[in-house]
Amino acid sequence: MKIIDYFTEATTFLKTSATDKAEVFATLATALVNNEKVTDSAKLIKALEKRETEGPTGVGDGLAIPHCSSSTVTKPSIAIMTLEKAVDWQSLDNKPVDIIFMITTPEQGGEQHLQALAKLAGFLGKSEVVTQIRAAKNFADILKAFIEPVTDHDKMKTDGHYDVIGITACPTGIAHTYMAKEKMEEAAKAMGLTIKVETQGRSGNENVLTATDIANAKAIILGIDKKIMGMDRFKGVSYLETSTKDVIYHAPNVIQDALNDKHLTIGKGGNDEVGELSLKNFKYVTKNLLGGVSRMLPFVVAGGIILGIGFLLDSGKTGKDFGVTRDVAAWFSGLGKVIFGIMVPILGAYVCYSIVGPQGLLPGMTAGLIANAPGMLYDAENKTGWANTWGRLFPDSISNFNSGFFGALIGGYLVAFAVYGCQKGFARFHPSLRGVRDIVLIPVLTALAAGVLMFGLNIPLGYLNYGLSLGLKAIADYNLNALIGIIIGLMMAADMGGPINKAAYVFGTLTIDATQTAYERIRSTNGGTVFMACAMLAGMVPPLTLALCTRMFKKYWTKKDVEQGNTNYFLASCFITEGAIPFAAADSKRTIPSIMVGSAITGAIVSGFGVTLAAPHGGVFVFPLLQIQDNGKNWFSISNHGASIGVAVLISVIALIIGSFISALILGYWRMHDVKNNKITLAI
């Protein structure tokens, strides 16, 4: 179908006086019902609003393309509205919208939905089309805007000799993918250049670039917001990589930079998931370590929460067997402990994997397992048979070999060199022997390398880990918990999900599962620790701060900010610190220092009063697992179990409120001052 086949005059409204998104949806939905393309306007509006929560449909330059598939739609259509006065649409460029094309298709018409979006985005990527639509006085003018003249210049070349080639791809694979393509083609045409652009959209890859295209191009541009398929094609080839947004708004400059060899990258090929096998991969230390941490976190969260359920079901019990005294509690605690115990091996496995790919999983996990110091390898009490097989090789005075988190990180990283060496050394194996190489030779050699490496590494790292536990004991003995709470609070808010935040969070989770007696001074009877409580509660402050600030100082935020701030109440309650990231990205100068103050205050209060937590995640949903640590070293102490939980929850809520309100006031007054002095310009 042609794009104009989706239009009807009865569902086209020009120069209307609608004042907001809701009125636009209501008018167009009613028209679609009256035109027998939709059976239930309320249901359609609900589907459209749901799509709006998944990401902005305002694509920039005053354009919006709301869309949905719904069972209430009987015929696919595109309803059109232009406005006399632009309205806010939470667009990507923060500009208001005055042109709306609303696409609706039946639930079974998913492919039509995508095709219509792609075609429409292609047309709306042309500035002359948008100009014609804004000037349109009737439906016939709209139709004229979508008739594309064909010239000799526009005809597709088939000899594979293009001046400019490119690929566009956005996370959803719909609007921005095709608008970037059109903008790139429009700019190339204006510059007198021939061009071919491959789109990697939701409905598949179209106009795929060939080896001939790549070999003969004067400039190659990747306008992408995600990893793309087929990077092997660009091995050894220079290309300019940027975002779809940059292409949409600055296509002529992007093309000129590519032609002038500015900001180019040399393609390395490799698979799409991990990248090429290269020593260069070892340079990205933070990226590799976070690659392991991100894979580990689901095990931490799931295992920790299930373990916490076991503690909750054993409420009322005391002693060293707390959590497993009741049968039902023991079932949950056992399962949680097993899952929780996998986190360190998973960390080692995926640190190695992020550097050298799938062959790194075995040696990386082996390093992580050894870092956990299993009893088969080290057992200070049982030193015969299958127990203590490595520990018996050392003097009896050496008994602690648990290198834990640090061992998995460092071991996974270092053993990647062994994997790299094996893969490079055996690269020229005869094809008939590659199965033996990949399934037997490399796994056995790299596993042995992991064993040798960790055998030596566990000694210094084990004592480092033990020393840290003694340090934590000293902190508790000298009543310095509040100081550590301040540090954890600052770290949790510093980058909201980045490496600093993750370091503080992982530290908290590791103290929950600590078995050394030196940790007992920071633990409660339910296995929780003050540092885990600090990490979670301080991490809830940033999103709650933005939720409060956008409400208390509404005048000094955009409408989009206020709406986004409302969702942060829920994100804060679930301990999703990342809810504050959009605000920090837009105004890091004011936002980050403000939220760090509040998080530090909350951390100090929580740790000072000895509040502990036995679950690594969950927000308000794990508040029943909070407890006051009774060791006589806190600002406040209580021994009754039930009262301990109640007081811990009360202190935690007060700490959250105080920290968040102080941060909200700092940020709010700071923005108010700068708005009044024209240092901040609010988007209309």
Side-chain angles (χ1 to χ4, degrees), residues 219-509:
I220 302 174
I221 299 167
L222 306 185
I224 55 177
D225 304 322
K226 64 174 185 176
K227 286 189 174 182
I228 59 174
M229 299 172 61
M231 284 302 294
D232 276 331
R233 293 173 290 176
F234 299 102
K235 187 173 183 178
V237 176
S238 298
Y239 58 82
L240 187 155
E241 182 174 336
T242 185
S243 65
T244 58
K245 185 176 181 180
D246 194 27
V247 172
I248 290 171
Y249 294 117
H250 310 291
N253 293 338
V254 170
I255 292 175
Q256 197 61 57
D257 283 349
L259 290 170
N260 293 338
D261 297 332
K262 291 183 178 179
H263 316 301
L264 298 187
T265 299
I266 304 295
K268 301 296 184 181
N271 65 58
D272 299 324
E273 186 177 7
V274 180
E276 62 154 344
L277 180 65
S278 170
L279 280 172
K280 185 178 179 181
N281 290 347
F282 290 88
K283 289 173 32 181
Y284 308 116
V285 178
T286 301
K287 175 185 174 183
N288 294 325
L289 298 187
L290 287 180
V293 171
S294 66
R295 300 281 188 153
M296 178 189 75
L297 288 181
F299 293 86
V300 176
V301 174
I305 289 178
I306 294 172
L307 183 62
I309 292 173
F311 290 142
L312 188 62
L313 292 172
D314 223 25
S315 295
K317 301 292 183 179
T318 57
K320 66 178 183 178
D321 292 329
F322 177 75
V324 295
T325 56
R326 293 189 176 100
D327 290 343
V328 64
W331 190 93
F332 281 96
S333 296
L335 177 61
K337 193 76 171 177
V338 168
I339 299 171
F340 206 51
I342 300 173
M343 66 179 186
V344 173
I346 288 293
L347 173 64
Y350 279 99
V351 166
C352 193
Y353 174 86
S354 68
I355 302 170
V356 293
Q359 286 284 11
L361 286 174
L362 168 66
M365 182 166 285
T366 301
L369 284 166
I370 298 172
N372 256 4
M376 181 180 288
L377 298 181
Y378 305 104
D379 190 338
E381 296 180 2
N382 183 6
K383 300 184 178 182
T384 62
W386 284 96
N388 201 41
T389 54
W390 285 14
R392 68 182 66 170
L393 301 175
F394 294 94
D396 290 343
S397 59
I398 301 177
S399 59
N400 185 70
F401 292 96
N402 190 318
S403 58
F405 179 76
F406 298 108
L409 279 178
I410 299 173
Y413 208 94
L414 293 180
V415 80
F417 284 100
V419 179
Y420 175 82
C422 286
Q423 289 182 315
K424 286 294 186 180
F426 302 137
R428 296 185 178 181
F429 259 47
H430 191 276
S432 63
L433 297 176
R434 286 177 183 170
V436 176
R437 177 196 66 183
D438 295 339
I439 299 174
V440 179
L441 195 56
I442 292 179
V444 170
L445 291 176
T446 55
L448 286 170
V452 172
L453 173 70
M454 294 305 297
F455 183 75
L457 197 61
N458 258 356
I459 300 172
L461 287 181
Y463 277 101
L464 172 63
N465 203 33
Y466 184 63
L468 287 174
S469 69
L470 292 177
L472 294 177
K473 175 181 178 296
I475 287 169
D477 287 343
Y478 289 97
N479 199 21
L480 297 175
N481 281 355
L483 175 62
I484 301 300
I486 291 173
I487 295 172
I488 291 176
L490 291 171
M491 292 176 70
M492 290 299 295
D495 55 1
M496 297 155 287
I500 300 175
N501 169 282
K502 287 292 187 292
Y505 173 69
V506 170
F507 170 70
T509 64

Side-chain angles (χ1 to χ4, degrees), residues 612-673:
T612 67
L613 178 64
H617 212 285
V620 298
F621 304 102
V622 296
F623 271 22
L625 295 173
L626 292 166
Q627 189 173 313
I628 295 294
Q629 173 195 21
D630 184 26
N631 65 0
K633 297 289 184 179
N634 308 309
W635 297 345
F636 182 83
S637 185
I638 187 167
S639 58
N640 181 274
H641 182 72
S644 175
I645 295 174
V647 172
V649 173
L650 178 61
I651 291 173
S652 299
V653 171
I654 292 173
L656 268 176
I657 292 173
I658 291 175
S660 300
F661 263 100
I662 290 175
S663 284
L665 290 172
I666 293 172
L667 179 58
Y669 280 114
W670 196 347
R671 285 184 63 89
M672 180 175 69
H673 174 271

Side-chain angles (χ1 to χ4, degrees), residues 5-27:
D5 294 333
Y6 292 98
F7 302 164
T8 59
E9 188 168 6
T11 57
T12 299
F13 300 83
L14 303 179
K15 303 299 180 183
T16 65
S17 58
T19 57
D20 56 28
K21 187 187 297 186
E23 190 174 349
V24 171
F25 284 171
T27 301

Side-chain angles (χ1 to χ4, degrees), residues 91-279:
S91 298
L92 291 174
D93 61 356
N94 291 321
K95 293 180 180 179
V97 162
D98 64 343
I99 299 176
I100 301 100
F101 282 79
M102 190 172 84
I103 302 175
T104 55
T105 60
E107 280 186 334
Q108 302 303 317
E111 189 61 28
Q112 285 183 316
H113 182 199
L114 296 174
Q115 290 175 358
L117 268 170
K119 288 182 180 179
L120 184 61
F123 273 100
L124 296 181
K126 297 181 171 68
S127 58
E128 65 269 21
V129 172
V130 176
T131 300
Q132 283 183 268
I133 293 169
R134 282 201 172 96
K137 296 180 180 179
N138 50 50
F139 183 63
D141 290 341
I142 294 290
L143 296 181
K144 290 177 184 177
F146 287 87
I147 299 175
E148 187 174 23
V150 178
T151 67
D152 291 339
H153 182 87
D154 295 324
K155 291 178 180 178
M156 184 65 68
K157 295 183 66 171
T158 58
D159 60 0
H161 289 71
Y162 298 91
D163 297 320
V164 180
I165 62 172
I167 299 178
T168 59
C170 63
T172 58
I174 304 176
H176 287 75
T177 297
Y178 297 97
M179 290 190 73
K181 170 183 179 291
E182 293 296 336
K183 287 293 186 181
M184 204 186 298
E185 290 180 342
E186 179 183 349
K189 177 181 176 180
M191 298 167 74
L193 302 170
T194 57
I195 185 170
K196 178 180 179 181
V197 181
E198 174 183 328
T199 53
Q200 295 194 9
R202 181 74 65 85
S203 57
N205 298 352
E206 301 172 26
N207 212 25
V208 176
L209 300 177
T210 66
T212 304
D213 297 332
I214 295 170
N216 293 300
K218 296 178 182 177
I220 302 174
I221 299 167
L222 306 185
I224 55 177
D225 304 322
K226 64 174 185 176
K227 286 189 174 182
I228 59 174
M229 299 172 61
M231 284 302 294
D232 276 331
R233 293 173 290 176
F234 299 102
K235 187 173 183 178
V237 176
S238 298
Y239 58 82
L240 187 155
E241 182 174 336
T242 185
S243 65
T244 58
K245 185 176 181 180
D246 194 27
V247 172
I248 290 171
Y249 294 117
H250 310 291
N253 293 338
V254 170
I255 292 175
Q256 197 61 57
D257 283 349
L259 290 170
N260 293 338
D261 297 332
K262 291 183 178 179
H263 316 301
L264 298 187
T265 299
I266 304 295
K268 301 296 184 181
N271 65 58
D272 299 324
E273 186 177 7
V274 180
E276 62 154 344
L277 180 65
S278 170
L279 280 172

